[in-house]
Amino acid sequence: MNADIDGAMNLGLGIDTGGTYTDAAILTIDNGGRVLSKAKALTTRGDLAEGIGNAIERLDHSLFPNIRLLAVSSTLATNSVVEGKGCRVGLIVAGHDVESRIPVDESVRIRGGHNLQGNMVEALDLNAAREFILKVSGKVDAFAVSSYLSVRNPEHEVALKQLIQSLTSCPVVCGHELSSALGFNERTITAVLNARLIPVIADLIASIKRVQERLGINAPLMIVKGDGSLMDESVAKERPVETIISGPAASIIGAKALTKLDDAIIVDVGGTTTDIGILRGGRPRLDPEGAVLGGWRTRVKAVDVFTSGIGGDSRIVILGGKVHLSALRVIPLCIASSSYPGLLSKLQSLKGSRARWVPAYMDPDSVPQPTEFFVFCKNVSGTDVGPETERILDIVKAEPRSLYEIAEIMRVHPLSLNLRKLEAMGSVLRIGLTPTDILHAEGSYVEYDAEASKIGVEFLAANAEMEVPEFIQVAKTAVIEKITMEVLKKLIHEEVGEAKMCDVATSLVDNMVRGTGRKDFACKLELNKPIIGIGAPVGAYLPGVAEKFHTELVLPEHSEIGNAAGAVSGNVMESLEMLIKPNRGLGTMDNPPCILYWMQEKKEFETLEEALSYARTEGARLVREKAIAAGADTVEILVDNHRKEAKLDKGWGGNVLIEINLTVTAVGKPRLFFEASS
């Protein structure tokens, strides 16, 4: 045990699995969230638990007996949706058609559904549902159920769920259980994605539990949700779709925890992407329409972040003597050289040579570079790649090979090979020069083999006809300008929404960010909030970004593990929405008869007073139960009451009540683990 650590102190272990690195940190729970131990390991995409285990292994093991809570934010759900992974899903929709591209294996539309008043439009066709369930038995692993306007009356979805459970042992997900917002397609998508992710999250949780057992960490496992709150592993298995975008959410919560600031722009520069979010009043802004994932709009409540394809692993390309940044993710030379011993000698053989000529009009993503190499990643099942591709895969299985080496072995022209397709399929990975290598060559951030980075920088600098210091500065400036532009896009979107920039606006933005067109005037940016930097390389880039915005930069201590700190700093939070509408034509009454619509039922009341009392009592009961099930200890209930009225002309009396929207929320600190006293 560390000498300065009280043996009775309660500690939390936070873990974040990013696209490149897995971060781990042990923090105090009772004493201001002090970071006591931290570590990084490379994310192992094939098995995330391996990278998680590697990161935990590097922490101070003497602190493990005091860990009372383990919280994980993960890219797994997000990546699984984007990559089309998950189990086979059978979808039953009642009363309405859905988009044909919804990712299901079997589907059927049957009669049923309700209207906006919660009244049944058609009787539910249980016979058709039974026939479908029996037909697809053995062909699907889970069911999703979505009935039209079930948020106004869930009785048809409840009946279908009961029928499926009576006929199969498959898990069943209903749309009304995940969202009370209108939007049939979005709610259906949410239910389908949740069903697909059930075994994915279950496998991750089982793997982490094995790591816990192996390392003797006896603590409850919590998963970070997309809104930054926490939920118990058992709830995560039922509602895995709510874990999408948990990494950016943990970043924002971590920024607040490490700085104690309530209002700021958070810029999290990772290996794969840069995430930009806004903290207002101590809370992350949530996307009011629900998170967009894999091109689908869902009804999942998640932080409203802007993700840009610029990070430590972004590809740096020389074309026409200029430095280009690509959104393509590659393995940095410094990391690859640490993993593939023969790579350094291949790079050393390039000294004094020149890159082959390529047309200046060529797409930067397609430009071959001698400093880039390809390695085998995996065989993609169900894909007929053909004999030429098979041979390429065999060549790169042996060792990292450049495009020119592959072409020479195959006796073809290098530009005739389409390795971008293999990259997109995930069959091969590319090694190349990145911003991470720039920092290694500069010496400002050295974690891996800096020699490989220096050789790559020297070669490309010579081919760009630059000195090495100039090349490094140009590359860093390109990263700074790219991040500045992405932050500006996020802020403009916050103000005006989705809008195209005209030529004048583009000129002004370029003037502000890149300093172009300063012959007669100069534009300056000024933020009204500080920037908080999260991530290992932020010290190299964000001072330049903050300077362009004329604002304060806050780089908290331990910013490199900010996401891990955020994972263990969140609260448990469960909420539900309830709608009360007066009976038609009676909204002018002081206490009219009303109808309550919520996820449990549609219920009629003689008076508004009775409806409000019932809604507050039952809503509080349910969210308290859900919060405790999600791992909360003590719970506080918050009720937000939004009354919507229509104004009448003078002389016609008071206003007309249209509806009342209640949001009932339960908030609590996560329950900690304590061994029973002997």
Side-chain angles (χ1 to χ4, degrees), residues 20-22 40-44 50-52 54 58 335 339 448:
T20 304
Y21 297 104
T22 293
K40 280 181 174 288
L42 289 174
T43 294
T44 47
E50 182 182 344
I52 290 172
N54 293 338
R58 298 174 186 178
I335 294 178
S339 305
Y448 299 96

Side-chain angles (χ1 to χ4, degrees), residues 192 230 267 381 488 664:
V192 167
L230 298 171
V267 181
S381 60
L488 186 57
V664 186

Side-chain angles (χ1 to χ4, degrees), residues 122-398:
E122 285 185 297
L124 182 63
D125 191 347
L126 287 174
N127 289 330
R130 181 188 301 272
E131 182 180 335
F132 172 76
I133 296 164
L134 295 175
K135 185 180 88 172
V136 302
S137 178
K139 298 179 182 179
V140 299
D141 309 299
F143 284 90
V145 174
S146 184
S147 177
Y148 192 62
L149 283 168
S150 61
V151 294
R152 293 295 168 86
N153 193 332
E155 61 183 358
H156 283 178
E157 287 189 2
V158 172
L160 288 169
K161 182 173 185 176
Q162 291 172 346
L163 177 63
I164 294 168
Q165 290 175 331
S166 71
L167 297 173
T168 78
S169 58
C170 294
V172 188
V173 179
C174 294
H176 80 274
E177 296 171 333
L178 299 171
S179 172
S180 58
L182 294 173
F184 177 71
N185 276 317
E186 293 83 357
R187 200 167 55 252
T188 303
I189 280 286
T190 306
V192 167
L193 295 181
N194 194 83
R196 284 179 64 86
L197 289 170
I198 287 174
V200 174
I201 292 296
D203 287 346
L204 174 65
I205 289 172
S207 297
I208 296 174
K209 299 292 282 185
R210 288 194 293 270
V211 172
Q212 281 188 259
E213 186 176 353
R214 176 168 59 83
L215 296 176
I217 299 174
N218 197 355
L221 172 60
M222 307 285 282
I223 309 296
V224 179
K225 294 163 61 176
D227 63 3
S229 63
L230 298 171
M231 61 179 167
D232 183 77
E233 59 174 281
S234 61
V235 178
K237 291 176 184 177
E238 296 176 0
R239 307 199 313 255
V241 74
E242 294 183 5
T243 68
I244 63 174
I245 315 181
S246 71
S251 171
I252 296 176
I253 300 300
K256 174 178 167 57
L258 294 175
T259 65
K260 314 304 180 190
L261 293 176
D262 287 336
D263 293 274
I265 308 295
I266 291 88
V267 181
D268 179 4
V269 184
T272 307
T273 60
T274 291
D275 295 320
I276 302 160
I278 300 177
L279 190 64
R280 292 193 180 98
R283 293 184 179 183
R285 182 182 185 277
L286 302 184
D287 190 326
E289 295 296 317
V292 176
L293 197 60
W296 291 295
R297 170 71 70 178
T298 72
R299 282 292 181 254
V300 177
K301 292 182 179 179
V303 293
D304 184 10
V305 295
F306 182 82
T307 298
S308 170
I310 174 69
D313 297 351
S314 295
R315 181 180 181 236
I316 295 176
V317 183
I318 301 300
L319 178 62
K322 294 183 179 180
V323 176
H324 296 264
L325 274 175
S326 167
L328 181 65
R329 177 185 178 270
V330 300
I331 304 172
L333 292 172
C334 55
I335 294 178
S337 182
S338 301
S339 305
Y340 302 98
L343 184 63
L344 188 60
S345 63
K346 287 177 180 281
L347 287 169
Q348 289 170 335
S349 69
L350 295 174
K351 288 185 176 181
S353 64
R354 301 283 293 181
R356 300 186 191 184
W357 177 86
V358 295
Y361 57 79
M362 198 170 186
D363 176 17
D365 279 351
S366 303
V367 172
Q369 298 193 130
T371 52
E372 295 185 340
F373 303 86
F374 295 87
V375 292
F376 177 78
C377 180
K378 62 183 178 181
N379 289 310
V380 179
S381 60
T383 304
D384 184 12
V385 294
E388 181 183 83
T389 299
E390 286 284 2
R391 191 173 180 204
I392 293 173
L393 295 178
D394 287 339
I395 291 171
V396 299
K397 279 179 183 177

Side-chain angles (χ1 to χ4, degrees), residues 551-585:
T551 192
E552 177 190 2
L553 173 64
V554 180
L555 296 180
E557 185 183 8
H558 312 299
S559 66
E560 74 277 15
I561 48 86
N563 289 33
V568 80
S569 301
N571 291 322
V572 175
M573 186 169 66
E574 293 287 337
S575 65
L576 61 84
E577 295 175 357
M578 311 175 85
L579 175 68
I580 298 175
K581 294 179 76 72
N583 286 3
R584 184 173 294 181

Side-chain angles (χ1 to χ4, degrees), residues 615-664:
R616 291 190 181 108
T617 301
E618 286 301 296
R621 176 191 61 78
L622 185 58
V623 293
R624 179 179 282 108
E625 289 177 359
K626 291 176 69 175
I628 291 172
D633 190 356
T634 56
V635 173
E636 178 185 2
I637 303 296
L638 306 172
V639 180
D640 181 26
N641 185 333
H642 179 68
R643 187 182 179 101
K644 184 178 179 181
E645 296 180 338
K647 292 184 178 181
L648 295 177
D649 291 337
K650 291 181 180 180
W652 288 90
N655 294 340
V656 177
L657 174 63
I658 305 299
E659 62 187 33
I660 295 177
N661 288 282
L662 276 78
T663 301
V664 186

